[in-house]
Amino acid sequence: MDKEKLIQISQKLSSDRNDYISAFRNNLFKYIDDKDITIREISEASDVPFSTINTFLYGNSQDCKLSTAVKLAIALGVSIDELVGAETINEMTRDAIVKSRTLSKNSLHLIKWFINHQAALEKGHEGKRIINVMHPLCQNNGCLKPTNDFDSIDISFLDKDISSKVFIGFQLSCENYMPLYTPYEILLVANDRNPIGNENSIIIRGGNIFIAKRKTEHGITKYYSIRDGKFRCVENDVDEVIGYIVCTINDPKQV
């Protein structure tokens, strides 16, 4: 079975904690409904008898052995939770797993580094609120590029209502966003909810980072660059909404 095809289907799997057997069956159908995948191929790849899969899909079987589910999940390249749809992991974790399959090895290495770095950071600073601050690359055209250049800062001095929401900071090493944001400030970003009207947000589109104001006009949500006020994109075309800017603080190294 084609690996890329399996990855595409894995992004469409559904879940239902109250009726996970039906979700499991429906997820299997998503594979065999594809013209390039057959029950026979799944049977051979998983070493699960054709008759067992066929009976589960079309017969009166109301359950499935754990050993069978494990073999099928391994063969299809997904977790048991995704295939069965039992929601044993939270939505954020599951979403991260699904999206990670589409990333390059370099991106996966960066994610692994960031997770390990964050775990070590929090372990070594119990009782403090430590966040990472990214230093995006400022390009000549004014666009910002994500980097793996991070510093760590303590924001425990902030009001808890603010510090508890912030999960990352951004520092701009250019003057393109003055006078609103200067190179001596760190932008603190939260993602506890979606941005609301007129909030300055951090979004990613086409591999670039944009600081944009979110506006809803005639029922359509749009993002406008705060750098030049120009329209950037509608919400459906945003690759990722990182979050909204809660506040700014002075860079401790510049004080």
Side-chain angles (χ1 to χ4, degrees), residues 142-153:
C143 292
L144 303 171
K145 279 285 187 183
T147 70
N148 60 357
D149 182 10
F150 287 89
D151 282 334
S152 301
I153 62 170

Side-chain angles (χ1 to χ4, degrees), residues 118-213:
Q118 193 67 27
L121 192 65
E122 295 191 5
K123 184 178 180 180
H125 296 86
E126 288 82 356
K128 295 183 178 181
R129 185 73 177 93
I130 308 296
I131 65 163
N132 283 306
V133 177
M134 178 191 284
H135 298 266
L137 176 64
C138 293
Q139 302 181 99
N140 293 333
N141 61 1
C143 292
L144 303 171
K145 279 285 187 183
T147 70
N148 60 357
D149 182 10
F150 287 89
D151 282 334
S152 301
I153 62 170
D154 181 4
I155 59 170
S156 303
F157 62 91
L158 292 174
D159 186 286
K160 286 188 177 180
D161 286 342
I162 294 177
S163 64
S164 62
K165 298 176 182 178
V166 176
F167 82 106
I168 196 170
F170 286 84
Q171 182 167 26
L172 310 178
S173 58
C174 57
E175 299 180 350
N176 297 347
Y177 293 89
M178 291 182 64
L180 191 57
Y181 301 123
T182 75
Y184 305 105
E185 293 177 304
I186 295 174
L187 284 54
L188 300 183
V189 180
N191 67 348
D192 57 309
R193 57 168 173 76
N194 292 326
I196 59 177
N198 290 322
E199 280 187 326
N200 288 339
S201 309
I202 305 288
I203 64 172
I204 293 181
R205 183 171 186 266
N208 291 315
I209 297 174
F210 292 101
I211 305 175
K213 189 173 290 294

Side-chain angles (χ1 to χ4, degrees), residues 4-70:
E4 291 301 317
K5 177 69 71 172
L6 295 179
I7 290 175
Q8 290 175 16
I9 297 173
S10 74
Q11 298 179 64
K12 303 174 184 178
L13 300 181
S14 58
S15 61
D16 186 341
R17 180 175 295 178
N18 297 318
D19 190 4
Y20 54 83
I21 292 299
S22 293
F24 184 11
R25 187 176 284 110
N26 291 335
N27 286 338
L28 281 177
F29 271 120
K30 289 177 182 177
Y31 286 97
I32 65 170
D33 284 345
D34 189 280
K35 62 182 179 63
D36 296 324
I37 300 175
T38 65
I39 296 178
R40 182 69 63 187
E41 288 177 312
I42 295 176
S43 171
E44 292 174 355
S46 64
D47 199 28
V48 174
F50 176 93
S51 59
T52 299
I53 302 175
N54 195 64
T55 300
F56 180 64
L57 290 174
Y58 300 105
N60 297 320
S61 177
Q62 297 300 312
D63 210 337
C64 176
K65 289 182 178 180
L66 175 60
S67 58
T68 298
V70 170

Side-chain angles (χ1 to χ4, degrees), residues 85-102:
E87 296 182 349
T88 59
I89 56 179
N90 63 53
E91 184 179 351
M92 183 181 294
T93 302
R94 177 172 175 165
D95 184 56
I97 292 172
V98 172
K99 288 181 178 177
S100 69
R101 295 196 183 99
T102 66

